[in-house]
Each structure stands twice: as C-alpha cells, then as structure tokens.
Amino acid sequence: MVASTLLVVGVLIPGVLCQSGSNILSFVDPLIGTVNGGHVFPGATLPFGMAKAVADVNGEDQGGFASDGSNITGFSHMHDSGTGGASSPYSPTLLMPLFMMIMATIYYSLIDNERHTHGLPDRHKLYATSPSLGNFPIFPQAGCPDDLLDNCVFPKTTRATPRINGTVEAHPGYFAVELATNIKAEMTVTNHTALYRFTFPETPTEANATLSPLILADLSDLPNSRINGSISVDNTTGRISGSGTFSPSFGIGSYTLHFCADFQGAAIRDTGVFMNDRAGTEPKNLSVVQDGVNNSPEILPAGAWTRFHAPNSTDNAILARVGVSFISAAQACSNAESEIPAFDFDAVHTAAQDAWTDTLGVIEVIPGQGVDPSLQTVFWSGVYRASTSPQDYTGENPLWESSEPYYDSYYCIWDSFRSIHSLITIVDPASQIRMMRSLVDIYRYEGWLPDCRMSLCKGFTQGGSNADIVLADAYLKLGSLAQGVDWQTAYEAVRTDAEVEPKNWAVQGRGGLTSWKELGYVPTDDYDPYGVGAFTRSISRTVEYAYDDFCIAEMAQALGYAADAQKYFGRAENWRNMFNPAQNSAINGTDTTFTGFLQPRFLNGTFGVQDPIFCSPLLNFTSCYLNPDGHETYEGSAWLYTFFAPHDLAALITTLGGPTEFVRRLDFLHESGLLYIGDEQAFQPVFLYHYAGRPAKSAERVHAYIPSQFNDTTVGIPGNDDSGAMGSFVALAMMGLFPNPGQDVYLITPPFFEEWSVTNKITGKRATVRNVNFDAGYEGVYIQSATLDGVVYTKNWLTHRFFLEGGVLELTLGRNESAWGTRSEDLPPSLSTGHNLTGYYKW
Ligand SMILES: *[C@@H]1O[C@H](CO)[C@@H](O)[C@H](O)[C@H]1NC(C)=O
Ligand SMILES: *[C@@H]1O[C@H](CO)[C@@H](O)[C@H](O)[C@H]1NC(C)=O
Ligand SMILES: *[C@@H]1O[C@H](CO)[C@@H](O)[C@H](O)[C@H]1NC(C)=O
Ligand SMILES: *[C@@H]1O[C@H](CO)[C@@H](O)[C@H](O)[C@H]1NC(C)=O
Ligand SMILES: *[C@@H]1O[C@H](CO)[C@@H](O)[C@H](O)[C@H]1NC(C)=O
Ligand SMILES: *[C@@H]1O[C@H](CO)[C@@H](O)[C@H](O)[C@H]1NC(C)=O
Ligand SMILES: *[C@@H]1O[C@H](CO)[C@@H](O)[C@H](O)[C@H]1NC(C)=O
Ligand SMILES: *[C@@H]1O[C@H](CO)[C@@H](O)[C@H](O)[C@H]1NC(C)=O
Ligand SMILES: *[C@@H]1O[C@H](CO)[C@@H](O)[C@H](O)[C@H]1NC(C)=O
Ligand SMILES: *[C@@H]1O[C@H](CO)[C@@H](O)[C@H](O)[C@H]1NC(C)=O
Ligand SMILES: *[C@@H]1O[C@H](CO)[C@@H](O)[C@H](O)[C@H]1NC(C)=O
Ligand SMILES: *[C@@H]1O[C@H](CO)[C@@H](O)[C@H](O)[C@H]1NC(C)=O
C-alpha cells in the first residue's frame, strides 16, 4: 500500500481511506434488511451478546424493529436476528392455535423458517413460525391523561405508538427512536443487561397530564407465547422483576426467562400491577397461568408499573436498566448490578463500541480510489450481522451443569454452515472454538447435536445433520489451535448422526437413516417405523446426508479412524442415487435443453417425477417447506439441488456432461430466473465455475448479485438474513475468498476493494489480499496472474493456512478472462479425483 498517496487523495475522496480502528463503525448500518423480509435485528448488542435491545413494532417484527412505519409496542431486551416466518398478528388474542403447537411438538411443524413473507398467500402464514423472544417489554408514558392511573394505556394493542419519522438511529451498540408522544428512547447493552435512557417532554402529549412518567413492564414476548408468568414491583425502589415461561419460535418445548428492571433519575411516586387494561397500586405482584377455558395460549395483558415524579435532571431523563437471565430473577438482578453498577449510559455505550471495534478491527480495508462508499457499508454491515449470533449464554444455562461455554441461537445450522461459521473462523477464531465446544457440550447433555436451536430448545431440522459440517470445518481449519475442543466426543457426536436414527428426527439426527444405509438414498415413499418426522424432502435430505457423511469421513481420516473414513467416503457417493439421467426440464412447455436431474426415487428403485423447476421462483415457489405436503426438495427446486455435491464437483461436472456443458447449465440456473439468491443454497452456485476451470465466471457472477441484490438500503437483503447468513455471504464474496464449507478450501475471486487484511486474533499473523490494476468500476475482474508471498500461484483456491500463518496474495487483474486457474491441476480438490482432502494444515 502507498499510504501517503492514499491519505492525500483521501482528503478529496473519503472512500479511499484505509478503514480500520473506530472509524469502521461508521460503515456499519444495522438498518439494512429491516424491511422486505430481511428480518434483521437492528438494535443494540455486543458481539454474540445475549442482551439485544430494540424497539418492538407491530409490523414486520421478527427482528423486533422494522423500518416499515408500524407502531412501537415496547422496548425489549432479547431478540434473534433474520429469522423466517410471519410477523405476529396484531390482535393480542392470537397466535398459533394450541393444537398446532401440540402437533409441532409431535412433529407436524407446519413451519417455514426461511422465506420472507411479503406477497405470499395468506395460507402461507398459517404455516409460518413466529418471531423469537422479545420478552418483558417495557413501555414509557410521560403522564396519564388527567393524571389518572387508569387513563394510562397498558395492553400492547392500545399502547402501540407511532414513531416520529426520521428519528431512528442505529449504530453498533446503540439504538434510538422518538415516539409520537415526544419521548426519546435510547438503548445500549452489556452482555446480559440492557440500559435504556428515556427522555421525556416537559409537557406530556397526554391530555391534561403533568410530567409524571410511568414505565410498565409487560409479561409477554413478541409472539405472545406466554404459558405462565409472575411479576412483582418493589414499592420503595421501583424495581420490577419477574419470570415467564414461553414457547420457542421454531422448535419444541418451552423455556423460562427472568428479568429485573431498575430505574434511576426520578423519585418514585407509586407502583402497582396491571391486568388487561386496568391498573392498581395494590397488589404489588401477580402471577398468570393459562386460563384452561379456551385451551389456547391466548394471553391476557398483564404486568407491573412504576410511576415517577418529574425527573430531577434538567433533561427529564429516566434510565431503565434491565438484566435478563435464564437462571433466576435474582441472577437477572445481579447480572444487571455487576455489569452496569452506575447507570452510566455513555460509559456503557462507549464500552459497547469498543467491543465492536475490537471484533471488527481485525479486518483492515483499503477500498481503492473511487470505490462507492456504499460498498464499504455493505461489507462492514455484513461482517457485523454475522457477529451477533450464536449468542453467548455461558453461565445462563439452567439445563445442565457444565464448565464448558454455552451458546444458543444456532438459528439454524442449515443456514449458518454455508458461510457464517466460515466467516467467524476467519475473523474471531476464539469465538468459533467456544461455539464448537458448546456444540459438543449440547451433544453431551442432549444426546444429539442440534441442526437448529433457540431459547434453550431443540429447533426443527431442515435437511441433514449440518453440525457435522461445521465441526469438520473447524477441525480441518483450526488444527491445534482448537485443542480446547474435545474432538473425540465431537467425533462420537457426528458418528451418532450417521449411525443412529432418533425417535424424533424432526429436531435432531436424520430420518430415513435405515433406508439410507441399506439403499443409499432416502426413498420418497420411505418405510421408516424407527422414528417420526415429516416424510418429505427425500431429494434434498439425500444429497445433504451424502455431504454430511463426507465431512464425517474427513474427520475420521484426520483422527485416524481409517475404516470409518472409508465407510463414510463411500456413503458420500450417495448423492448420485437420486439422479435420474433421463429427466428433462421444460419451462412453460419450452425445453431447457438440459437432461439429468435429481428426482424422487421410490423404495423399489424406480424414479418418480417432481418438475425440476418446481419450488423455484418460476413455479410454486413457496410449496417446499416443512409442512406435511412439502414435497421432495426443501426451499428450492430439483434444478438447484442437482448442483449440490460440494465434495465431488469433478464427478458432478462429468455427470452433467463435462465442464462446458456444466458451465452452460450453471449459466442457465443464474440467468433463467430459476435461482433465488435470498436462500442460502444459492450461495455456492455463484462460485461453482471454479471447479469447471472458469474462475473468471465466478467473479462475473458475484458482481451480478452485489450490489443489485445486496446493498446498503433498508431493503438491501434479498431474503431472511438468518442470523447473519446473508451478511456473511456478502462479506466473504466481497473479500474474494469464498469457502466450500466443510473443506479446507477457499475459492479465489478478486476482492471488491483494492486491498484487505485480516489479523488472526490467535496467531497474530496477518493475511493480505491485494488487487493490482484494480478499478472501481469493476471492469477488470479477471485474474491474469497471482503470487502468494511473492511466489507465482496458479491454483484457483487456497487453504486456511493463509489465515493462520499470514501472507500476501497478490492478484493482477485484467479486462479479459485469462488462463489463470483453469488447468486441471489448478482446480480445488474433489473426492473422485483423489486429492488428499484433509491435513492441509498440520496439527
Ligand atoms: C412516516 O412514515 C410512514 C412510512 O414509513 C408513513 O406511512 C407515515 O405517514 C409517515 N408519518 C408521517 C407523520 O410523516
Ligand atoms: C399506529 O398508531 C396510529 C395512531 O395511534 C394509528 O392511527 C394507526 O392505525 C396505528 N397503526 C398500527 C399498524 O397499529
Ligand atoms: C461479554 O462476553 C464475552 C464472551 O462472549 C467476553 O469475551 C466479554 O469480555 C464480555 N464483555 C464484558 C464487558 O464482560
Ligand atoms: C382537561 O380537564 C378539564 C377540567 O377537568 C376538562 O374540562 C377538559 O375537558 C380536559 N381536557 C381534555 C382534553 O381532556
Ligand atoms: C409454567 O409452565 C411450565 C411449562 O408448562 C411449568 O413447567 C411451570 O411449572 C409453570 N410455572 C408456574 C409457576 O406455573
Ligand atoms: C409506596 O410508596 C409510596 C411513595 O414512596 C408511598 O406513598 C406509599 O404509601 C407506599 N405504598 C405502600 C403500600 O407501601
Ligand atoms: C434524582 O433522583 C434519584 C432518585 O430517584 C436520586 O437517586 C438521584 O440522586 C437524584 N439526582 C439528583 C441530581 O438529584
Ligand atoms: C409462463 O407462462 C405464463 C402464462 O403465459 C406467464 O404468465 C409466465 O410468466 C410464464 N413463465 C415463464 C417463466 O416464462
Ligand atoms: C415402484 O413404486 C412406486 C411407488 O410406490 C410405484 O408407483 C411404481 O409402480 C413401482 N414400480 C414398480 C416397477 O414396481
Ligand atoms: C402450485 O400453485 C398453484 C397456484 O398457486 C396451486 O393451485 C397448486 O395447487 C400448486 N401445486 C402444488 C403441487 O403445490
Ligand atoms: C437492493 O437490494 C434489494 C434486495 O435484494 C433489491 O430489491 C433492490 O433493488 C436493491 N437496490 C438497489 C439500489 O440495487
Ligand atoms: C494427507 O496429507 C497429510 C498431510 O500432508 C498426510 O499426513 C496424510 O497421510 C495424507 N493422507 C492421505 C490419505 O494421503
């Protein structure tokens, strides 16, 4: 880098300044993806923090808040980000009927976790999962009309208040919005505690009210899933604390959460509880159970409140500190007291910013002259979103005693294995190692690895047992750095996925495992009396199981279990077994000219038919979810799944007619409207050209999707962010090292910036990728030649050793496709071409 030149130019064009240190945070926009189905949580959180504070709305509320102009119902302290399904209905008497919840616990989950909901038929909402968490919202009012307690509003439906447009501010560790009642709400967090600063107007907007703020705490959550709860208020201190049992948003069982709210800034006037729309100063506590009459989870508004005299500060501010805990209300209080002893909003905010600067600051970007600053926002915001979940609940797990870390909100690994964990492994390997330890610990105590997990509950399995992939990925990449992970138990866990069919495979392991072992595929008309789960997705489960087994084989090989390795490498071949070489595909009666697709296959070995374009955006896009009639591919078409053989693309390319024909088919996938980039299975096909010796086409393809589908607007995410999956995709794609997750492989394309570096937090080594002949218009996105640490480098991929040991990868770009990275010896490894797939990094 030519720092001095860059600085001089930087005065004129801020975009070329090196982005590092605290100025990184100005490039993070948490509001990206807060409408249009992104479902992003835009509030205040620490990296992987448990407390996640934001304003909750009555619109698109999966992430709590949405930039949709809907009204604000409260401020709550825990959220998940980017999850699927429909928003909560407006009515408080709402929700999934109980029979559906019971059926869900059996297995008929009737749930979609993925697709955004706008524009979908109403019927779809019936099958949707609910928003997550959002428990114990607090809500401020400046004064009760006529100063009468009962004139204040208590239920969510009546208290919902418009925001003042243009007042939303969102930054790492900070969120603010002003209500139409002229109350400004600001929030920041520590790991388990939210701190709010409510600034009240001198004159309340409420009729005939004088300034005497009331803050209530509501025994509810975003989806109104409360099963029971209790709350109490201390008349002397104004402290409100309580507990509630709720349902998880995409899983079975229930969880109990506790909170503890304290206030500072005004003298207490009086306190009490509310039930429905009435409030009183007596009693000082209440508890609510399901009424048992309607046999439904219909919940009555209930909670407690504290009313204050006019604040004693000139700015009329009252601070509310809310601790949360899964252990007890007492622990919620002690979390809050120890983490935020002084109610010092600015200090907590600064500490949160410092935590983010520390996490994101391992990356340094020299954008390059003329690069659109919005691309930096897209990039940094992507890294940011991928650093919010899984959430660190260590010390907060009531389910088992353990000294291991406990992370939650693996939501879902079906999504996160494809890029989130790969990015965390690069940017924050220490957290990735803690997450792997936590996965192993979950296996130890639950008997199974999760495929999805939230709110201490087992979430629904969408396809295979994808934790196998995440564990193999970490094992291969982190090597001896991950010695804290008990790899023997990790191996036992993945082997359990491969060998034992669970009684309820809707939430763990793999269904159809007996057929899988005997026949090498999951038959579409499977006979499976060994466990329960939805008998759908036979195609997608088959190809996912094959890849899961491949990843297990890699671990077996590396751990020295040669016989297992051989067995699972063998089972990894099973992706071929549902490939019908005779199947054609037409769109509206016009043949696509491609033959050979994955198809349903019966027990007797004959093929059935599912139109290869079915469940693509071109035909019945929303027909392949977790509902009982969800068909044979999950959230995608057979066209798309036919490309899923991440471990043996060489064989897949041969199967599909050779490199030229493969590239023609891949082009068609991208250009025909068959591919929806807003679902995670679409990530890898962007880069598969590498395996056909055409890395230049992967580079072209990346630019076709970024920024047109991933940009810095509130609609700038094409699908549910899924805990940062879309964020990690865009970040890795812009870095130009896209992983083939589960393998120690990164596919090389030119970064969107002139240069970036990552300093490995554990080894201290710095990896740099530099474009030579970089142009901000991205006309020259074709690698002509490359050097790694000054030595000519012709492979179109590299391994994680680059990040562990550091180095400089220099890519010389040009305006035309070149021969770089195209020879067979330059291609990434494939099972059938006999490459040694493990051990790139020595332990
Ligand atoms: C605020 O914005 C929303 C759309 O986001 C709009 O519906 C509403 O009318 C606006 N309110 C005001 C007061 O401008
Ligand atoms: C939001 O509040 C305004 C004013 O109270 C009301 O007119 C509007 O219908 C509300 N909208 C929603 C979606 O609740
Ligand atoms: C928050 O938790 C993380 C672990 O997830 C820890 O590294 C960090 O130090 C904690 N922050 C504070 C302020 O305690
Ligand atoms: C305010 O109180 C006065 C006196 O009680 C009453 O006449 C008036 O209607 C009230 N105004 C409103 C807006 O409620
Ligand atoms: C609340 O419901 C849960 C789940 O049904 C139950 O385990 C718990 O005992 C209940 N608690 C109270 C206080 O009723
Ligand atoms: C509650 O506190 C208020 C103000 O400190 C006091 O006036 C009131 O008597 C107290 N009520 C009870 C029941 O202790
Ligand atoms: C404001 O009131 C609170 C009690 O409600 C008190 O702790 C604090 O010291 C007061 N601050 C000032 C500046 O008087
Ligand atoms: C298929 O034909 C219908 C009816 O003419 C048309 O609306 C639709 O857009 C066509 N779809 C494609 C993918 O060409
Ligand atoms: C195989 O099984 C399928 C599904 O049960 C059935 O439709 C088909 O006729 C069978 N084919 C043969 C050859 O038995
Ligand atoms: C496909 O969608 C159409 C119209 O949306 C619907 O009538 C039809 O039942 C769907 N087919 C299947 C197999 O889901
Ligand atoms: C931003 O991305 C969204 C979602 O993919 C897309 O609909 C929109 O057109 C994009 N906007 C721009 C300006 O590219
Ligand atoms: C793969 O490579 C590693 C490290 O280079 C080596 O130790 C191992 O024996 C190789 N495995 C096979 C099966 O060739």
Side-chain angles (χ1 to χ4, degrees):
M1 104 173 147
V2 193
S4 55
T5 314
L6 287 166
L7 277 172
V8 172
V9 181
V11 174
L12 301 170
I13 307 163
V16 304
L17 277 168
C18 179
Q19 254 64 71
S20 62
S22 57
N23 94 11
I24 288 171
L25 301 192
S26 66
F27 281 102
V28 174
D29 184 353
L31 293 169
I32 294 173
T34 49
V35 275
N36 196 35
H39 297 170
V40 164
F41 162 78
T45 178
L46 292 187
F48 309 115
M50 174 163 142
K52 287 185 163 34
V54 82
D56 292 325
V57 296
N58 61 7
E60 204 177 331
D61 63 353
Q62 287 83 353
F65 183 80
S67 299
D68 62 357
S70 56
N71 292 344
I72 291 167
T73 57
F75 300 88
S76 72
H77 338 292
M78 288 181 59
H79 292 86
D80 281 314
S81 186
T83 60
S87 338
S88 302
Y90 279 172
S91 159
T93 61
L94 38 99
L95 239 327
M96 284 213 266
L98 186 61
F99 79 85
M100 266 182 65
M101 298 174 67
I102 291 170
M103 288 175 82
T105 59
I106 297 171
Y107 85 86
Y108 270 43
S109 63
L110 306 185
I111 279 175
D112 148 40
N113 180 40
E114 290 305 311
R115 203 80 73 191
H116 48 98
T117 55
H118 62 285
L120 297 184
D122 281 340
R123 178 181 157 278
H124 176 78
K125 293 202 170 172
L126 191 68
Y127 294 94
T129 183
S130 52
S132 246
L133 299 164
N135 320 69
F136 313 120
I138 59 174
F139 187 80
Q141 293 166 68
C144 304
D146 296 320
D147 203 32
L148 291 174
L149 181 61
D150 262 336
N151 289 350
C152 265
V153 283
F154 295 92
K156 242 184 225 182
T157 39
T158 45
R159 70 183 188 235
T161 303
R163 70 198 76 182
I164 297 177
N165 286 349
T167 60
V168 173
E169 255 188 81
H171 307 293
Y174 178 85
F175 184 90
V177 63
E178 197 168 335
L179 303 179
T181 48
N182 295 336
I183 299 169
K184 178 172 186 179
E186 298 167 277
M187 55 221 74
T188 184
V189 289
T190 55
N191 277 327
H192 311 92
T193 310
L195 184 63
Y196 301 87
R197 178 162 63 195
F198 296 116
T199 304
F200 295 90
E202 188 62 44
T203 310
T205 55
E206 290 83 2
N208 279 351
T210 49
L211 183 58
S212 179
L214 180 146
I215 299 177
L216 65 80
D218 189 343
L219 270 182
S220 72
D221 62 349
L222 272 169
N224 298 312
S225 80
R226 186 186 70 220
I227 294 164
N228 58 43
S230 59
I231 197 164
S232 67
V233 58
D234 183 312
N235 189 51
T236 310
T237 62
R239 166 178 283 186
I240 303 176
S241 65
S243 308
T245 299
F246 304 91
S247 301
S249 53
F250 188 61
I252 60 171
S254 64
Y255 68 96
T256 299
L257 184 68
H258 313 272
F259 82 104
C260 177
D262 289 300
F263 307 97
Q264 196 184 75
I268 312 293
R269 178 176 168 194
D270 52 5
T271 62
V273 296
F274 69 90
M275 177 68 94
N276 208 356
D277 59 355
R278 311 299 286 171
T281 54
E282 291 296 336
K284 299 296 186 193
N285 55 62
L286 60 75
S287 71
V288 282
V289 295
Q290 275 174 312
D291 61 17
V293 175
N294 301 313
N295 202 23
S296 83
E298 194 171 291
I299 62 167
L300 272 173
W305 53 270
T306 294
R307 189 156 56 161
F308 304 88
H309 293 292
N312 51 10
S313 66
T314 50
D315 60 0
N316 285 330
I318 293 180
L319 289 146
R321 179 188 71 184
V322 186
V324 284
S325 172
F326 285 102
I327 302 291
S328 65
Q331 183 152 321
C333 295
S334 63
N335 283 343
E337 287 160 359
S338 65
E339 291 176 8
I340 308 183
F343 285 78
D344 185 339
F345 191 93
D346 295 334
V348 174
H349 179 201
T350 301
Q353 285 177 312
D354 291 348
W356 278 111
T357 301
D358 185 51
T359 292
L360 303 181
V362 298
I363 308 179
E364 209 176 285
V365 166
I366 299 173
Q369 192 162 343
V371 167
D372 186 340
S374 79
L375 289 173
Q376 295 175 66
T377 304
V378 171
F379 172 76
W380 288 109
S381 303
V383 180
Y384 169 82
R385 295 202 306 278
S387 306
T388 58
S389 285
Q391 303 172 19
D392 189 349
Y393 290 5
T394 304
E396 291 295 337
N397 178 6
L399 301 178
W400 59 83
E401 297 273 338
S402 172
S403 55
E404 285 296 279
Y406 178 70
Y407 283 74
D408 201 289
S409 292
Y410 292 93
Y411 201 169
C412 294
I413 296 177
W414 185 87
D415 306 289
S416 65
F417 89 80
R418 299 170 207 262
S419 51
I420 292 181
H421 285 285
S422 306
L423 184 62
I424 296 173
T425 302
I426 293 170
V427 174
D428 191 354
S431 289
Q432 172 70 0
I433 290 166
R434 285 167 58 81
M435 290 165 192
M436 297 307 98
R437 287 168 60 184
S438 158
L439 282 181
V440 172
D441 213 42
I442 290 169
Y443 163 76
R444 232 179 245 128
Y445 290 90
E446 299 273 26
W448 297 94
L449 291 166
D451 190 55
C452 196
R453 190 173 176 88
M454 77 290 304
S455 313
L456 306 170
C457 293
K458 294 178 180 182
F460 296 111
T461 299
Q462 289 164 276
S465 47
N466 297 303
D468 308 345
I469 302 171
V470 176
L471 284 164
D473 192 87
Y475 185 81
L476 297 179
K477 287 177 179 169
L478 294 172
S480 56
L481 299 184
Q483 265 164 353
V485 182
D486 173 356
W487 287 112
Q488 292 302 330
T489 306
Y491 183 68
E492 181 189 309
V494 299
R495 201 171 178 284
T496 300
D497 283 338
E499 294 301 331
V500 184
E501 179 166 330
K503 291 266 176 262
N504 180 359
W505 46 266
V507 293
Q508 55 212 4
R510 307 183 196 170
L513 199 61
T514 307
S515 297
W516 167 256
K517 290 189 211 173
E518 284 172 8
L519 301 173
Y521 62 99
V522 180
T524 301
D525 57 345
D526 199 15
Y527 171 64
D528 182 2
Y530 310 106
V532 295
F535 286 91
T536 56
R537 304 158 288 141
S538 58
I539 293 173
S540 47
R541 285 195 286 136
T542 291
V543 292
E544 286 194 29
Y545 292 4
Y547 190 53
D548 298 338
D549 279 345
F550 171 82
C551 291
I552 295 170
E554 290 181 301
M555 278 181 78
Q557 186 180 329
L559 285 163
Y561 300 123
D564 276 13
Q566 195 181 358
K567 173 182 182 178
Y568 296 121
F569 278 133
R571 278 163 52 166
E573 303 276 359
N574 288 348
W575 60 272
R576 303 165 189 266
N577 291 344
M578 291 183 96
F579 182 78
N580 181 352
Q583 181 65 46
N584 292 324
S585 165
I587 299 176
N588 265 357
T590 304
D591 191 73
T592 59
T593 74
F594 299 98
T595 305
F597 291 92
L598 294 179
Q599 283 294 288
R601 193 171 184 193
F602 302 118
L603 271 164
N604 61 19
T606 64
F607 281 104
V609 177
Q610 177 177 306
D611 188 332
I613 71 168
F614 186 73
C615 288
S616 79
L618 300 184
L619 184 67
N620 289 65
F621 188 31
T622 60
S623 292
C624 294
Y625 293 123
L626 273 185
N627 40 306
D629 59 352
H631 302 98
E632 302 316 318
T633 47
Y634 182 64
E635 294 193 359
S637 62
W639 243 97
L640 172 59
Y641 277 101
T642 296
F643 287 96
F644 192 77
H647 51 305
D648 205 350
L649 285 149
L652 179 69
I653 287 167
T654 302
T655 303
L656 297 184
T660 306
E661 187 62 4
F662 179 83
V663 166
R664 194 173 76 87
R665 188 189 282 226
L666 198 49
D667 281 345
F668 192 87
L669 176 75
H670 286 286
E671 291 163 12
S672 57
L674 279 167
L675 189 70
Y676 166 56
I677 197 73
D679 230 339
E680 288 74 9
Q681 317 97 301
F683 294 171
Q684 195 163 57
V686 174
F687 299 93
L688 288 183
Y689 297 101
H690 273 68
Y691 287 86
R694 301 288 301 278
K697 290 197 67 100
S698 300
E700 279 175 6
R701 204 52 83 190
V702 176
H703 285 277
Y705 290 113
I706 305 169
S708 74
Q709 297 294 305
F710 298 85
N711 50 60
D712 72 338
T713 66
T714 54
V715 300
I717 304 180
N720 304 148
D721 196 39
D722 290 319
S723 301
M726 298 286 144
S728 55
F729 167 77
V730 78
L732 288 161
M734 293 178 84
M735 288 167 81
L737 287 180
F738 203 81
N740 188 341
Q743 299 167 49
D744 190 4
V745 169
Y746 296 92
L747 309 174
I748 303 170
T749 51
F752 278 53
F753 305 117
E754 184 168 329
E755 177 174 325
W756 60 256
S757 301
V758 171
T759 302
N760 189 294
K761 260 191 180 158
I762 298 179
T763 66
K765 296 287 168 42
R766 185 178 163 96
T768 299
V769 180
R770 180 180 302 140
N771 283 320
V772 177
N773 296 338
F774 175 75
D775 74 290
Y778 302 117
E779 282 167 32
V781 295
Y782 304 101
I783 298 173
Q784 309 294 305
S785 63
T787 59
L788 182 60
D789 297 327
V791 177
V792 170
Y793 195 79
T794 61
K795 290 188 194 327
N796 67 29
W797 60 285
L798 49 66
T799 73
H800 194 70
R801 181 194 293 248
F802 179 59
F803 291 105
L804 294 175
E805 297 182 353
V808 177
L809 177 68
E810 198 166 86
L811 308 172
T812 300
L813 308 184
R815 299 196 172 207
N816 296 295
E817 185 169 1
S818 80
W820 178 85
T822 60
R823 300 171 309 166
S824 68
E825 61 265 41
D826 299 331
L827 308 187
S830 278
L831 180 56
S832 61
T833 52
H835 290 262
N836 182 347
L837 291 161
T838 60
Y840 290 110
Y841 185 70
K842 291 191 241 21
W843 277 59

